[in-house]
Amino acid sequence: MADEGRRELDRAFEGLEEEVPDRLARAIRWLRDPKGRKIRLPLGILFLIGGLFWFLPVVGLELIPIGLLLIAQDVPFLRKPVARATLWLERKWRALRRRWQHRRAGRGRAARRRARA
């Protein structure tokens, strides 16, 4: 069970690393390193606390999933639910991005047709 949660979490992190810029992907890989536990847990807790202050202008709700991802790396019972939520969000993000690209490509064709007419 724990191995399954670890595999799902690894898949979620790999998908996340594909979606973010290279510099951020390197930071994610660095934080996932087993030696990073001393940094990962306090940073994850700080992100969770920061997410609770979403009404302030500097922090937001987006800190909560980041904090959960960091903590789930070291807390076995959180791995599977956090991994599944992350994978679901990645699928939704990719579908939305495809829809935007399709819509943008359709607008470009329509504008070219109008310009020719």
Side-chain angles (χ1 to χ4, degrees), residues 67-85:
L68 285 173
L69 274 169
L70 290 172
I71 292 173
Q73 188 72 25
D74 298 313
V75 180
F77 72 88
L78 282 177
R79 288 180 186 148
K80 199 168 188 174
V82 169
R84 286 186 176 174

Side-chain angles (χ1 to χ4, degrees), residues 5-20 24-33 40 65-74 78-79 82-84 86-87 90 94:
R6 166 84 58 195
R7 279 193 303 272
E8 279 191 58
L9 189 62
D10 287 341
R11 241 183 43 218
F13 271 114
E14 288 167 8
L16 186 62
E17 288 173 10
E18 289 174 12
E19 293 296 321
V20 299
L24 190 56
R26 282 194 310 259
I28 291 170
R29 282 191 294 274
W30 178 74
L31 281 170
R32 290 184 63 212
D33 185 30
R40 197 170 38 239
I66 296 169
L68 285 173
L69 274 169
L70 290 172
I71 292 173
Q73 188 72 25
D74 298 313
L78 282 177
R79 288 180 186 148
V82 169
R84 286 186 176 174
T86 304
L87 290 169
E90 286 174 9
R94 287 181 177 141

Side-chain angles (χ1 to χ4, degrees), residues 43-54 59-72 78 82 86 89:
L43 190 60
I45 292 169
L46 283 174
F47 275 134
L48 285 176
I49 292 170
L52 295 176
F53 293 103
W54 58 269
V59 295
L61 286 174
E62 65 273 1
L63 295 179
I64 292 174
I66 296 169
L68 285 173
L69 274 169
L70 290 172
I71 292 173
L78 282 177
V82 169
T86 304
L89 283 170

